[in-house]
Amino acid sequence: MLLFIALLSISAYAQDDNTYESALYINDVAISEMPRFVELHKKFTDMSLGENRTMTGEWVFRHWYGSGHSFVIYNQYNSMEDFHKDADIANQNIRAKIDTTKDTSVKETLMKEWAEYRAFSNGHSDEIRVANKATGFYQLEETDFDIPFAMVVGKYNSSGAWGTMGTAFFDWAIKNSVDNGSSMSGGVSYHYMGTSFEVEVWQCYTNLVEFAKGVTARAEETEEAIKAKKTFWSLVDGAHEDQIYLHIGHVNMEKGIFDLAGKDR
């Protein structure tokens, strides 16, 4: 029933215009262990990549403010079929590279490290979200994402149509802030599978200082933006949740590597 509601709420969009995103929440990583997690994630993500992978992107963020998890890993797919295929393919690619390692001691180290890396996922939670390509991601051309930018996420439940609520936030907050240069990008996604809020909105800023400036500045709003803001808040149902993340790195699909945030990393 929930799946039907999710699809119905964005039914104005063609199915081919949707992108699907898995969110893996890594819990309870001690601060002292965070560099090790990032090191191992890069190593095994690099080993997992290949032309047979079906994901279209991956982004990793460290939790900075709010309650909950230590890291979140977002992977994007063109379809749920691609999502279901990809995990097995990734593991097969890693296994194949370990199996073809000729040095016995190196192979044993890789096996131990792979087990260590997977142990970070103990007690994790996850979900699938769906976004329309028209409102799921918005940015100006030539935006540099290879920096440790800040991402602010708001999670809401709706008293009405999810698509109406998400589009209202997009028209009010996301498009205007990107167009006037106060934020780098933004988007809206909707709950699909797992346990989470119905509508999730996000905006990225070059750093925490720019985020603070962006939320405190009183930019002039058009009549359309004011109307969209009223529509959005009229549909908010109950309490909401806010999170702030820092960008750790993402998969560079052209180079086939996990690219740590920052130049030459």
Side-chain angles (χ1 to χ4, degrees), residues 33-75:
E33 288 296 311
M34 286 183 172
R36 180 60 171 168
F37 170 81
V38 174
E39 176 188 1
L40 292 176
H41 182 79
K42 173 171 172 54
K43 172 177 283 192
F44 289 102
T45 298
D46 286 351
M47 292 176 67
S48 75
L49 295 174
E51 293 183 0
N52 56 349
R53 292 292 300 273
T54 59
M55 71 175 185
T56 60
E58 176 186 286
W59 296 80
V60 179
F61 296 88
R62 175 186 172 181
H63 191 261
W64 183 258
Y65 178 81
S67 60
H69 42 276
S70 306
F71 291 94
V72 58
I73 303 171
Y74 292 108
N75 291 83

Side-chain angles (χ1 to χ4, degrees), residues 6-96:
L7 293 176
L8 184 63
S9 69
I10 54 173
S11 60
Y13 302 124
Q15 199 73 357
D16 289 345
D17 290 334
N18 290 337
T19 185
Y20 298 82
E21 181 174 74
S22 70
L24 175 65
Y25 301 100
I26 305 295
N27 300 311
D28 302 323
V29 179
I31 294 177
S32 61
E33 288 296 311
M34 286 183 172
R36 180 60 171 168
F37 170 81
V38 174
E39 176 188 1
L40 292 176
H41 182 79
K42 173 171 172 54
K43 172 177 283 192
F44 289 102
T45 298
D46 286 351
M47 292 176 67
S48 75
L49 295 174
E51 293 183 0
N52 56 349
R53 292 292 300 273
T54 59
M55 71 175 185
T56 60
E58 176 186 286
W59 296 80
V60 179
F61 296 88
R62 175 186 172 181
H63 191 261
W64 183 258
Y65 178 81
S67 60
H69 42 276
S70 306
F71 291 94
V72 58
I73 303 171
Y74 292 108
N75 291 83
Q76 292 82 34
Y77 303 89
N78 286 326
S79 69
M80 285 301 294
E81 181 181 9
D82 285 349
F83 162 72
H84 288 301
K85 289 178 180 178
D86 196 55
D88 287 341
I89 294 172
N91 287 331
Q92 289 166 8
N93 289 350
I94 293 171
R95 172 64 69 179

